Amino acid sequence: MSTQSAKQFPPAVVPDRLFDDAEAEARWRARFHAPRISVPEWARDAPEANVYASNASGVWEVYAWNRTTGEHRRVTDRPNGTLYSTPSPDGAWIWWFDDTDGDEFGSWVREPFAATAGSKPEKAVPDVHDGYQAGLEIGAKIVAVGVSTDDGSELFARIGGETRRFYNHPDDAGIAALSRDESLIAISHSEHGDSRHPALRVLATDGFEAVAEKWDGEGKGLSALEFSPLPGDQRLLVVHERRGREELLVWDVRADTETEIELDLPGEVVAGWYPDARALLVVHFHDGRNALYRYDLDSAELSSLDTPAGRIGGAGVRPDGTVEYSWSSAAEPTAVRARTTGGTDAILLEPPGERAPGSEPVTDAFVEGVGGRIHALVSRPSGAPEGPLPTVFSLHGGPHAADEDRFSAYRATWLDAGFAVIEVNYRGSTGYGSAWRDAIEGRPGLTELEDVAAVHDWAVRTGLSDPAKCVVNGASWGGYLSLLALGTQPSRWAAGVAGVPVADYVAAYEDEMEQLRSFDRGIFGGSPEDVPAVYRECSPITYVDAVTAPVLVLAGDNDPRCPIRQIENYLDQLGGRDLHHEFYRYDAGHGSLVIAETIKQTSIEVHFALRALGLR
């Protein structure tokens, strides 16, 4: 065994291997090492010029693909990886976001799409200061970029070699969409004081005067997806939630008219335009799974593209009408596919190297809770014996996200280790309607854990889970929930694993990025000064003395979302008690893009749980 030094805190144990069986050991590692690739994004006016992200080098980096020559090349090469990139409309440049060791604070740089000897990335908009991302739109004549700092949000436009700040506000705002003829720009803002339910404003780029506003009122957000791809067509595709779930509307900004698109589908949807602007590519989410549809705007006809059940990780329509998309399921690894207008569906891109070994499927559980029906995804290890199993309750981050029927090397490792895995789409999750998502307002954390408790009761009652061998784990918001669960539900948990968590909410608020402070004010009902009792009631550090189970915490030194100081505060108090706990600290931000580091952290987590439950 080797150990990781972590200042004065007890270091986490890093196992040399998880499994004695060589085949099992090779299989779980192979799932992480298997190269993966995102759906390519092509340049608007040069669709042969594409960029994508891949981990083929062992680190998630940006790649360029010239479809004419077939050449693929790695664009970025940074120790902690690079994830955000986009091509310029003419395909001449690749833009990527340059931060420091995963801290998310930085600026957009660009470099030529065609590699040239000695070329280096240059700051794309030289006179815009560094900050957190708040949107980017690149046109032929206009570049609009948003920056967020502790002082609030600033939006800039660069036109004809000059940069102008056209918007600033203490509350959260961002660049949302640029019209095809570049005469209009849509921004998202929260001047009404609630960044979780934003409003929209459209400005004319010839003077940045407002030409249209849209806000649906308290608790009803609007999200601009994209303008029509046709020049002179000023229709903007928007997501609204007027009927209590996320649906679509088309807003003709110049005419100030709108058309709500009512689809006979349960769940929620997002969409993008077909190149001729006569149809929409709709991505449908319902009960943890996605499906693709084509919606004809003239006939209002909705037709399925017949994708199999699973998760769509991204999708777009090529100029010839081919739909390219990423798909996976819990059992089947991710693949980037292309579906032609004739209905042929085939693999588009195969990353180099071996394909990831498959895993087990998930099944659905629907459990009644105090707030309504809770949806959970349940996985059982292959060949598991009859009777109750050690179970890990894996709680997703966000909180406004959802667990899905998607391939996860992380989930598969827990299954290989003999754990059942239960993923709970608690209140706060997306895809189950606005009321479900917003039910945590005023009492975050504790509300979600009511749903986790109901699913835990169900799992024990049905004989799936051994009540003496239940582990709670998660990262980010899931890490926060895990620590809060250990302190408020100590009798339920035999161990807890918290990755990059919020542990001391008041200190976290003081140190986190302003975009998250704005989010917290919306979800808590104000700042810690405004509602101190709510922050105290909903903070894990309040309950640290009630924790009885072994605890593992993992954290990044450069994390702007769940900063390190507040985690150290929690560990300081935990260290004053005779309770087994371990800490793993790594040199990156809110997670790692380095595959070897991800493997290391996964092995630490699973090995810790096995030891805590007496299984190793």
Side-chain angles (χ1 to χ4, degrees), residues 286-340:
H286 180 59
D287 286 347
R289 294 167 181 85
N290 301 134
L292 288 177
Y293 293 86
R294 184 184 190 276
Y295 178 78
D296 187 283
L297 289 164
D298 294 329
S299 66
E301 179 183 356
L302 183 70
S303 54
S304 172
L305 297 189
D306 297 325
T307 50
R311 178 179 186 263
I312 305 296
V317 187
R318 293 280 295 172
D320 65 356
T322 297
V323 175
E324 296 181 354
Y325 66 100
S326 174
W327 177 90
S328 75
S329 70
E332 292 292 326
T334 304
V336 176
R337 307 187 65 87
R339 186 179 183 84
T340 67

Side-chain angles (χ1 to χ4, degrees), residues 64-250:
W65 175 27
N66 186 321
R67 294 200 188 209
T68 300
T69 65
E71 178 192 7
H72 294 257
R73 71 175 182 90
R74 188 170 71 183
V75 176
T76 56
D77 185 7
R78 303 196 303 153
N80 283 298
T82 315
L83 202 55
Y84 301 104
S85 68
T86 190
S88 62
D90 59 6
W93 297 90
I94 296 173
W95 290 50
W96 53 271
F97 192 77
D98 184 21
D99 66 352
T100 304
D101 294 328
D103 67 357
E104 303 181 49
F105 193 92
S107 62
W108 288 96
V109 299
R110 68 174 193 170
E111 57 185 274
F113 183 88
T116 56
S119 64
K120 295 182 178 180
E122 62 185 34
K123 192 165 184 179
V125 188
D127 38 6
V128 171
H129 60 81
D130 287 359
Y132 299 109
Q133 295 185 57
L136 172 71
E137 287 289 325
I138 307 171
K141 300 177 182 179
I142 298 172
V143 171
V145 59
V147 176
S148 174
T149 66
D150 286 348
D151 296 323
S153 303
E154 296 175 273
L155 309 182
F156 299 87
R158 186 167 180 81
I159 306 173
E162 295 186 0
T163 302
R164 169 180 175 178
R165 187 181 74 174
F166 65 87
Y167 180 91
N168 70 291
H169 198 275
D171 288 314
D172 200 31
I175 304 292
L178 180 68
S179 66
R180 179 64 176 83
D181 61 11
E182 302 179 22
S183 65
L184 299 175
I185 187 164
I187 69 169
S188 172
H189 70 84
S190 53
E191 295 170 8
H192 52 288
D194 182 3
S195 65
R196 295 175 54 249
H197 303 96
L200 295 176
R201 178 174 298 143
V202 180
L203 311 172
T205 57
D206 59 2
F208 294 98
E209 296 296 321
V211 298
E213 303 267 1
K214 192 172 290 293
W215 183 46
D216 281 348
E218 184 177 350
K220 296 179 180 179
L222 294 165
S223 299
L225 297 175
E226 55 186 1
F227 275 101
S228 162
L230 300 181
D233 185 349
Q234 311 293 24
R235 291 178 297 167
L236 179 63
L237 185 59
V238 175
V239 170
H240 71 90
E241 48 185 311
R242 295 168 180 173
R243 289 182 288 271
R245 61 185 182 132
E246 293 189 345
E247 299 178 277
L248 302 170
L249 67 82
V250 175

